[in-house]
Amino acid sequence: MEINQLNLESNKINTPKLNELYSQFQEILEKLNDKKLPSEALQYINNIVEQTNSTTLQDTALLKFLKDKQNFIIKYLEKEHKIVPKSYYKKLWLAVGMTAFGLPIGVVFGLLMGNIGLMAIGLPIGLGVGAVVSSSMDKKALQEGRQIDVEMKF
């Protein structure tokens, strides 16, 4: 079984941003064809592609719709099969590092120094922690062959 391709009418894709998103979505589907995916994953992806191909939305609504459908596929693959695009963990863990590690460290540091204004010192520390964790996770995904050779821009 093979993944269906996007087949939207060319008159719906009339802005550069929409064209880029459509091309990226198409590229993700092409790269997923190279992966050995179970039949339930192929069926899930094909259902989303069918919904996308049958939409009548245009312009901004179509842009949001395509982003949502693309994210559904990426989140499903990550959750069920641990397949991710390039830099997936980098984008995820930089924010998590700053909020989950950086802010608490900054608050503790600010309270210990008696100046809560120093709380912002924890953000670069959290950013560093997030960068280290994310780069190791992205490398591991690449080594295990779980990475799609597409970097998400949207």
Side-chain angles (χ1 to χ4, degrees):
M1 184 178 215
E2 212 173 84
I3 296 174
N4 298 337
Q5 296 301 309
L6 291 178
N7 189 19
L8 289 177
E9 299 166 16
S10 60
N11 62 346
K12 289 184 180 181
I13 304 170
N14 50 12
T15 64
K17 192 169 185 176
L18 192 54
N19 190 30
E20 281 184 54
L21 179 61
Y22 184 79
S23 298
Q24 176 181 294
F25 199 168
Q26 188 78 306
E27 186 177 3
I28 289 169
L29 295 175
E30 289 170 6
K31 298 290 180 176
L32 287 174
N33 263 333
D34 298 338
K35 295 278 184 193
K36 296 237 184 232
L37 295 173
S39 61
E40 72 269 1
L42 293 174
Q43 192 172 13
Y44 178 83
I45 293 169
N46 282 335
N47 285 339
I48 289 179
V49 171
E50 285 176 27
Q51 292 171 12
T52 305
N53 287 339
S54 65
T55 187
T56 58
L57 299 173
Q58 289 188 352
D59 299 328
T60 309
L62 180 60
L63 184 70
K64 184 181 179 333
F65 182 78
L66 285 176
K67 280 183 189 179
D68 288 345
K69 294 303 179 184
Q70 178 178 281
N71 285 334
F72 286 154
I73 291 172
I74 296 300
K75 286 178 183 175
Y76 170 80
L77 290 173
E78 196 278 329
K79 184 178 178 185
E80 298 295 325
H81 305 289
K82 304 292 185 214
I83 296 173
V84 295
K86 277 184 179 178
S87 302
Y88 176 81
Y89 293 114
K90 177 180 164 188
K91 292 175 183 171
L92 179 69
W93 274 90
L94 288 181
V96 170
M98 288 192 318
T99 56
F101 298 111
L103 285 177
I105 290 170
V107 168
V108 169
F109 187 74
L111 291 174
L112 288 176
M113 300 304 270
N115 183 359
I116 199 66
L118 295 174
M119 179 177 70
I121 289 177
L123 291 178
I125 295 169
L127 185 72
V129 170
V132 168
V133 170
S134 66
S135 67
S136 69
M137 290 178 81
D138 278 330
K139 277 184 189 173
K140 185 178 178 185
L142 179 64
Q143 290 170 349
E144 293 175 357
R146 297 183 291 113
Q147 197 173 63
I148 307 167
D149 193 23
V150 175
E151 188 163 351
M152 301 286 286
K153 295 175 188 147
F154 298 100

